[in-house]
Amino acid sequence: LMLPCLFISALRFKILLDGLGMPCAYGRALTWTMIGVFFNVAMPSATGGDVVKALYVVSAYPREKRAPAVLSVLLDRMMGLFGLFFLAFMVSLAGGAALEHRADLDRDAQDKLLFVVRLVRWMCLGFVLCFWFLTSRRLERSAWRKRVTLALPFGAQIEKLYMGFAGLRERPALLLVLLGLSNLNHIFLTASFLALAQGLHTHFDLLAGLVVIPLLFFARTFGFAGGFGVGEFASKIVAP
């Protein structure tokens, strides 16, 4: 169940690179994805693999493609994180009544589950609003924003990254494909977690798991190597 995640993530990254005007063979995208996953675990940061992955991508393209190359790695991470929230958000909407009225849970567990459901809904809404604002034409054309951006260290490079990011509003089909692949990836991740729990004779409700587990994977992003520490702490807080 974990193995398909690598192939789906690599396909998402390839499509993203192609969409940004940097054609890439699937085999190379798969190699970069596996390198990133390895260093996410091996380096003292759960996102350290993205830095190594970006270095490989940048080195494979001409100098003028450096900004889109870095942007591709950042967007790949963002779409992965948004996919977590979107999957949990859709499950929380589809099974809202069943999640909010669980007779099989005690009061403490019910309160935790309700907290997670509401948190996921608000975070997903916040992500959409943030994306809408950052990619708006008004902000893109703002002279004030451009002055502030160019005044920052590496301002010219950051401006190139931002312009590439803002241009995504003109590519809704690309965004939908990336989001769909992210959701499929997280379905396999969640299924592997639930299968492991079942193998350890630990009860984890399917419907609640589809909401809670993506949030735990998000929490792992901010942990030590491989996400250890933060994800485990979050599981004790939010898992019903």
Side-chain angles (χ1 to χ4, degrees), residues 48-84:
D50 288 347
V51 176
V52 179
K53 181 178 174 181
L55 291 174
Y56 273 91
V57 178
V58 167
S59 66
Y61 291 95
R63 186 182 183 87
E64 62 271 14
K65 293 288 187 180
R66 286 183 178 178
V70 174
L71 179 64
S72 69
V73 178
L74 293 175
L75 289 176
D76 190 51
R77 169 63 69 172
M78 289 176 59
M79 292 305 300
L81 292 177
F82 182 58
L84 286 171

Side-chain angles (χ1 to χ4, degrees), residues 16 24 49 72 90 111 131 168 209-210 214 228:
L16 179 56
C24 175
S72 69
M90 295 305 294
D111 289 343
F131 180 83
L168 288 174
L210 287 172
F228 295 114

Side-chain angles (χ1 to χ4, degrees), residues 2-239:
M2 289 291 293
L3 192 59
C5 297
L6 291 172
F7 296 100
I8 295 170
S9 296
L11 178 60
R12 183 183 67 198
F13 192 50
K14 171 189 163 39
I15 293 173
L16 179 56
L17 286 169
D18 291 344
L20 292 174
M22 297 182 294
C24 175
Y26 178 74
R28 174 173 280 190
L30 179 61
T31 299
W32 289 337
T33 299
M34 296 181 74
I35 289 172
V37 171
F38 171 78
F39 282 100
N40 277 341
V41 177
M43 291 183 70
S45 168
T47 55
D50 288 347
V51 176
V52 179
K53 181 178 174 181
L55 291 174
Y56 273 91
V57 178
V58 167
S59 66
Y61 291 95
R63 186 182 183 87
E64 62 271 14
K65 293 288 187 180
R66 286 183 178 178
V70 174
L71 179 64
S72 69
V73 178
L74 293 175
L75 289 176
D76 190 51
R77 169 63 69 172
M78 289 176 59
M79 292 305 300
L81 292 177
F82 182 58
L84 286 171
F85 290 121
F86 190 77
L87 173 62
F89 177 74
M90 295 305 294
V91 172
S92 72
L93 289 181
L99 285 168
E100 294 176 9
H101 303 286
R102 295 285 302 276
D104 58 317
L105 297 179
D106 58 36
R107 180 62 180 271
D108 183 58
Q110 181 70 32
D111 289 343
K112 286 182 179 180
L113 184 56
L114 286 175
F115 168 76
V116 171
V117 169
R118 291 164 183 166
L119 178 63
V120 164
R121 289 174 180 174
W122 280 108
M123 292 185 78
C124 190
L125 177 61
F127 193 101
V128 172
L129 291 176
C130 185
F131 180 83
W132 172 80
F133 173 72
L134 290 175
T135 59
S136 64
R137 284 189 176 87
R138 185 171 182 177
L139 184 64
E140 181 184 1
R141 296 170 181 171
S142 169
W144 176 84
R145 179 207 58 79
K146 191 168 185 178
R147 283 197 304 271
V148 171
T149 302
L150 293 177
L152 296 172
F154 307 104
Q157 290 79 6
I158 295 175
E159 178 66 13
K160 289 181 181 179
L161 289 176
Y162 172 76
M163 295 302 292
F165 176 70
L168 288 174
R169 68 170 177 270
E170 309 293 344
R171 311 288 298 278
L174 174 63
L175 291 174
L176 287 175
V177 170
L178 297 175
L179 181 58
L181 289 172
S182 294
N183 285 333
L184 182 60
N185 180 40
H186 297 315
I187 287 172
F188 275 104
L189 276 174
T190 303
S192 67
F193 187 98
L194 292 171
L196 180 61
Q198 185 70 25
L200 295 173
H201 305 290
T202 302
H203 174 70
F204 215 117
D205 181 80
L206 176 61
L207 192 59
L210 287 172
V211 175
V212 174
I213 294 172
L215 191 62
L216 299 182
F217 282 129
F218 172 76
R220 289 184 60 204
T221 304
F222 305 99
F224 191 64
F228 295 114
V230 177
E232 285 68 22
F233 177 71
S235 67
K236 294 178 181 179
I237 296 176
V238 303

